[in-house]
């Protein structure tokens, strides 16, 4: 007889992947394993929900009223450290833990055993009744290969019924195919590079950190083209030698193609991919391979942070300054910050890599909280490009009637001419999609705006449409003004990349060019094609938005022209200057990455602005120091803390009323200020009215505790949503 305690049904808290307040109590079957992370099927109402044993029961529900959660047969558990991470993220972002768990359980099917794959081989029995078809099938099967029913039917040119008849007769026997493994292990010594001195020092520091098998944070801070990727690959190799798994976070899927090939060149095989473009089946496979340790290195977008690594030994965040790491919908979190948290919980190193770190990381590194690994020079012969400002105020009439030049100033055109004559490549950069950001009626002043958003409609000339970049609303390009009904009075205002391309083509009719723009109307495939064509030198000039700014390596690119360097500089949000600097620095960094020197021309109307000056002088650290000074004086992040509330809903009056109530009930606390409510920048978005409140607090304030004390005071109707954004990076 087993001891009596084994027969008792343990009661545990089970977390469901739903936005509920917390874990619910359930009974496990007698002797059931109550360890944290166990997967169960839990009854909820009249359905069965996948859940996870989270911890001790609360005990508020009487034992006899508890339902039984059945452990999933044969399924592995979630690593307990992942459960800890989920709790941490939930707490920090003020989301229910179940909402975070939902992100970690995205691939439902992964917990069911993979369907067995059966194929057939020739058995020893010869069927009593033979036919020409049967004979042919058995002859083909005689080679000993295992085939599926349809496979054999095809190879032998018979109907599947013939094959099935042979199976029934026992002439073909089933055999189970081994599970196909698409995740061969990377080889740490496949093609180790020879590093230059700076690189070797940084690589050694990272290898030591991996070997130490404990938490440490590193800022790999190197100019564009200095070999940051080569260096952190050495840390990856070290983790592989220690039998640890590695997670590499990239800001965008668009970057991964080149990256995967580069990884394969170093390690012999591609890493495991994780992003939203995977099919259900690929997802399931990848998830399972991470969980059972088959996938050693995962490259993914921010959601890969929630994968169930049982033995994570290194986390890398490449282009760590990228805003794309901030998830803005659903549970709002910053993947770079949470990557540091995950590494701390896993007790392993985290490497943040960038040529233009976020000010937060820069302050952490220069203040000694992170190790600061610097690569000051480009690898090999490549020099950093020369940056020159073109003062648009000084340039002759930009509306020069003869040439009709509007966006490409004479010095920029001359430089383009030189580059094209020399057979080199150029890039024109403008961070604006479409043809023109605003369409205006010359006669009555009517501006085309989105009916669902407080945003202008952007003209897309190739598609002959006006489009809202916020919600995707589209309209065929009208020929008459809807307000005054006059014909031919609509004029495009300002440039987008299409318009710059039009002007470029007028000046350089023989040059080959393409537009690369992450566009609802262009599509990622077209953009990828343009970038590949540029890399293969099938085109001379790439005209693009910020999609061309990052990560790409074009050896023949010697000129970068920034059409409007002032864009985004005057947004007024606290990171506008930092972002402008980062973006322009990254774009500039595309130039001159091989032997030929690069030139960057920035067209600006504010050449004396500190951002422009820092870019022209190549004084990155000077810019960061100045920016640090501004932030410190204003007590803004990272020297103070922010949290934003966005109140949204279809009924504007209710939204404003709830926002007012929140404003009135904000508790007064030391070192906390609450601003607002005010209409958000997009006061109307996808038909919803939006109001904002901003909490500004000193660094030591527990902002989460403050919000938890405040928010429950206002009863929010179901038709209104209050979104909490801790450490906001966008102020729209
Ligand atoms: P970053 O990530 O800092 O911009 P990369 O790692 O992309 O720099 O390196 C820039 C280019 O220089 C790449 O083509 C890379 O292969 C090459 N490179 C860097 N370091 C080395 C090295 N030690 N040996 C050979 N090539 C290198
Ligand atoms: Zn819209």
């Amino acid at each position: 007889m087993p001891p009596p305690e084994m027969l008792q049904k343990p009661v545990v808290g089970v977390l469901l992947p739903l936005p509920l307040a917390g874990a619910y109590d359930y009974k496990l079957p007698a002797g059931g394993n109550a360890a944290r992370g166990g997967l169960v099927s839990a009854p909820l109402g009249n359905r069965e929900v996948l859940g996870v044993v989270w911890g001790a029961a609360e005990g508020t529900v009487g034992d006899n009223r508890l339902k039984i959660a059945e452990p999933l047969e044969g399924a592995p558990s979630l690593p307990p450290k992942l459960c800890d991470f989920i709790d941490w993220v939930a707490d920090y972002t003020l989301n229910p833990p179940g909402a975070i768990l939902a992100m970690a359980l995205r691939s439902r099917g992964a917990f069911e055993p993979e369907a067995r794959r059966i194929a057939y081989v020739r058995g020893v029995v010869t069927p009593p009744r033979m036919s020409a078809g049967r004979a042919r099938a058995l002859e083909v099967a005689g080679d000993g290969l295992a085939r599926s029913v349809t496979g054999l039917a095809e190879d032998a040119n018979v109907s599947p019924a013939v094959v099935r008849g042979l199976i029934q007769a026992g002439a073909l026997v089933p055999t189970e195919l081994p599970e196909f493994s698409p995740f061969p292990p990377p080889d740490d010594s496949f093609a180790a590079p020879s590093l230059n001195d700076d690189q070797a020092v940084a690589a050694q520091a990272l290898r030591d950190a991996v070997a130490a098998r404990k938490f440490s944070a590193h800022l790999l801070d190197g100019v564009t083209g200095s070999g940051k990727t080569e260096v952190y690959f050495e840390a990856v190799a070290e983790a592989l030698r220690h039998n640890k798994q590695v997670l590499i976070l990239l800001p965008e899927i668009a970057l991964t193609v080149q990256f995967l090939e580069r990884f394969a060149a170093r390690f012999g095989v591609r890493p495991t991919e994780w992003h939203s473009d995977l099919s259900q089946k690929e997802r399931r496979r990848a998830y399972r391979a991470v969980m059972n340790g088959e996938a050693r290195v995962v490259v993914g977008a921010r959601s890969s942070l929630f994968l169930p690594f049982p033995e994570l030994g290194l986390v890398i965040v490449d282009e760590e300054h990228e805003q794309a790491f901030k998830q803005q919908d659903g549970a709002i979190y910053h993947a770079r910050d949470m990557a540091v948290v995950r590494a701390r919980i896993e007790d392993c190193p985290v490497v943040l890599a960038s040529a233009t770190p976020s000010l937060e990381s820069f302050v952490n590194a220069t203040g000694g909280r992170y190790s600061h690994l610097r690569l000051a020079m480009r690898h090999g012969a490549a020099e950093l490009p020369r940056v020159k400002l073109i003062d648009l105020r000084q340039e002759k009439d930009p509306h020069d009637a003869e040439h009709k030049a509007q966006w490409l100033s004479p010095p920029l055109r001359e430089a383009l001419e030189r580059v094209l004559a020399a057979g080199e490549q150029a890039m024109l950069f403008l961070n604006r999609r479409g043809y023109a950001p605003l369409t205006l009626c010359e006669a009555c002043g009517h501006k085309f705006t989105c009916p669902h958003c407080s945003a202008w409609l952007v003209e897309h000339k190739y598609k002959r449409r006006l489009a809202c970049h916020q919600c995707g609303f589209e309209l065929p390009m009208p020929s008459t003004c809807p307000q005054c009904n006059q014909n031919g009075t609509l004029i495009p205002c300002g440039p987008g990349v299409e318009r710059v391309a039009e002007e470029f083509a007028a000046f350089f009719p023989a040059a080959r060019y393409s537009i690369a723009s992450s566009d609802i109307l262009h599509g990622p495939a077209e953009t990828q094609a343009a970038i590949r064509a540029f890399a293969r030198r099938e085109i001379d000039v790439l005209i693009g938005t910020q999609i061309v700014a990052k990560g790409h390596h074009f050896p023949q690119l010697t000129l970068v022209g920034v059409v409007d360097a002032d864009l985004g500089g005057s947004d007024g949000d606290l990171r506008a200057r930092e972002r402008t600097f980062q973006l322009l620095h990254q774009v500039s960094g595309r130039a001159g990455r091989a032997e030929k020197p690069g030139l960057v021309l920035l067209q600006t109307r504010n050449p004396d602005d500190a951002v422009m000056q820092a870019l022209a002088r190549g004084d990155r650290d000077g810019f960061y120091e100045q920016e640090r000074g501004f932030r410190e004086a204003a007590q803004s992040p990272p020297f103070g803390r922010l949290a934003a509330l966005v109140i949204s809903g279809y009924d504007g009056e209710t939204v404003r009323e709830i926002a007012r109530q929140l404003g009135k009930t904000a508790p007064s606390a030391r070192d906390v200020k609450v601003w607002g409510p005010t209409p958000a920048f997009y006061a109307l978005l996808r038909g919803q009215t939006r109001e904002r409140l901003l909490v500004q607090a000193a660094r030591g304030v527990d902002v989460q505790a403050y919000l938890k004390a405040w928010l429950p005071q206002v009863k929010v109707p179901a038709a209104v949503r209050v979104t909490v954004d801790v450490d906001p990076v966008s102020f729209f």
Side-chain angles (χ1 to χ4, degrees), residues 531-596:
I531 290 173
R532 268 199 303 276
F534 193 61
R536 288 200 295 259
R537 306 207 52 204
E538 291 161 11
I539 54 175
D540 307 310
V541 178
L542 189 63
I543 301 172
T545 60
Q546 93 281 356
I547 193 99
V548 300
K550 304 156 199 167
H552 307 290
H553 187 65
F554 306 115
Q556 292 301 320
L557 173 60
T558 56
L559 172 67
V560 168
V562 176
V563 175
D564 185 349
D566 305 327
L567 258 192
S570 51
D571 281 351
D573 93 50
L574 81 105
R575 287 186 183 81
R577 290 159 44 81
E578 178 187 339
R579 269 204 308 272
T580 304
F581 181 86
Q582 285 163 340
L583 185 57
L584 296 182
H585 189 95
Q586 294 276 344
V587 182
S588 306
R590 298 307 113 213
R593 285 172 66 106
E595 299 79 39
K596 293 176 185 154

Side-chain angles (χ1 to χ4, degrees), residues 194-195 199 223-230 262 379 553 593:
S194 61
L195 300 176
Q199 292 174 340
V223 300
T224 50
S226 59
K228 293 184 290 297
T229 317
E230 305 287 339
R262 217 170 143 184
H379 178 72
H553 187 65
R593 285 172 66 106

Side-chain angles (χ1 to χ4, degrees), residues 340-424:
V340 176
V341 172
R342 177 115 198 220
R344 206 171 60 213
I345 288 173
E346 301 281 349
D347 213 13
C348 74
V350 58
V351 179
L352 310 179
S354 175
T356 52
S358 60
L359 193 78
E360 279 82 352
S361 297
F362 182 82
V363 168
N364 279 330
T366 49
R369 286 186 58 191
Y370 296 175
S371 92
H372 198 180
L373 306 170
R374 303 200 74 152
L375 303 175
M377 280 181 319
R378 283 193 161 177
H379 178 72
E383 297 271 326
L384 282 172
R386 218 150 41 91
V387 179
K388 276 171 66 177
L389 303 179
I390 298 177
D391 183 352
L392 286 178
R393 298 167 312 179
Q394 303 293 320
E395 292 307 324
K396 284 192 309 266
D397 182 15
H399 296 277
D400 179 334
E402 202 183 330
H403 286 98
K404 293 216 308 215
Q406 295 197 72
W407 326 114
L408 305 174
S409 65
L412 179 52
R413 266 153 35 211
E414 280 153 31
L416 282 166
E417 236 166 78
R418 275 199 305 276
V419 163
L420 290 171
E424 295 163 9

